[in-house]
Amino acid sequence: MKKRIVIVGGSVAGLNTALILASAINKDLDFAITIIDEGKGDILKAEVYNVPFFPKSIKGEQIITHTKKQIEEFTKINYIDAKATEILGNKGAFCVKTTQGNFEGDYVVLATGANEFDIQGLGSISQPHTLMPKPGKIKLKHADRNLIKEGIYVAGIASGVTSMVSCALGSAAESACAILSDIKGSISVIHDFKDSRA
């Protein structure tokens, strides 16, 4: 079974979502993953000191580069340098319109950050972000497991978590696991153990 995933936002949350889904690929499940990103993520301005396993003072660009390489060990990602403008359709048949064409997906993940949300087609889902000290920041309305509507999830700071890299990573992991669970029809978690991928 192959599922098409469109991720809007290629910073830490979008990439972590892709990494977890890519790591779940096996003989019964495959993913075609497209990441749509303009390269404006706040992580590009960051220097990170407080995330486990990240070297002290790692730069945001290094995190992005390293995570992309890690994903490549599982699958190839279709990276699109574009702005998403509209989302149409339903689970299993979404169309994400962008400035560089349209992309189809069975699932969509919005890892757009907290600066703004102007993608059409989902109604008024933007609301004030209550866990960021800066004014004007937003989060996207969602239910349990970061679900905005059937087949569309929010990940990262846009989900309303505290504005730290580790919180964005955790939110993204939850969204990826929610997608895996939806596909399986029951709770699905990807666990590895020593030598399990040898």
Side-chain angles (χ1 to χ4, degrees):
M1 167 179 28
K2 190 161 198 168
K3 295 292 184 181
R4 301 162 303 166
I5 311 291
V6 178
I7 300 172
V8 181
S11 190
V12 292
L15 290 175
N16 197 42
T17 303
L19 175 60
I20 290 169
L21 293 174
S23 75
I25 292 172
N26 58 39
K27 64 181 177 58
D28 299 316
L29 179 62
D30 196 5
F31 290 106
I33 302 172
T34 298
I35 294 181
I36 298 164
D37 185 63
E38 296 180 276
K40 296 180 180 177
D42 288 342
I43 192 68
L44 298 175
K45 301 177 233 170
E47 188 172 273
V48 178
Y49 288 81
N50 57 1
V51 178
F53 304 109
F54 282 14
K56 179 181 170 186
S57 74
I58 187 170
K59 307 284 189 291
E61 297 94 337
Q62 294 171 294
I63 294 170
I64 298 294
T65 299
H66 176 79
T67 307
K68 285 181 175 180
K69 286 180 183 173
Q70 196 172 355
I71 294 167
E72 286 172 13
E73 294 177 15
F74 296 109
T75 193
K76 182 173 175 22
I77 300 285
N78 184 22
Y79 292 101
I80 306 298
D81 182 6
K83 177 177 175 55
T85 57
E86 188 174 11
I87 299 172
L88 303 169
N90 296 296
K91 183 170 84 170
F94 288 113
C95 175
V96 180
K97 294 187 173 186
T98 80
T99 53
Q100 296 296 324
N102 301 337
F103 299 89
E104 296 180 351
D106 298 300
Y107 293 88
V108 174
V109 178
L110 301 173
T112 56
N115 291 323
E116 64 180 0
F117 186 81
D118 57 2
I119 299 171
Q120 300 299 305
L122 298 176
S124 180
I125 62 169
S126 176
Q127 59 189 49
H129 197 302
T130 55
L131 296 179
M132 290 188 76
K134 297 178 183 176
K137 298 299 183 180
I138 60 97
K139 65 180 179 179
L140 304 180
K141 290 184 211 174
H142 62 279
D144 289 342
R145 304 210 76 187
N146 294 340
L147 183 68
I148 291 176
K149 77 173 235 181
E150 287 300 313
I152 300 182
Y153 298 82
V154 60
I157 302 304
S159 72
V161 295
T162 303
S163 60
M164 292 183 66
V165 171
S166 53
C167 294
L169 292 169
S171 170
E174 177 61 22
S175 296
C177 289
I179 291 170
L180 292 170
S181 298
D182 190 70
I183 292 168
K184 185 177 179 183
S186 62
I187 300 300
S188 181
V189 181
I190 300 303
H191 286 302
D192 291 305
F193 52 89
K194 188 175 180 181
D195 300 323
S196 63
R197 294 184 186 251

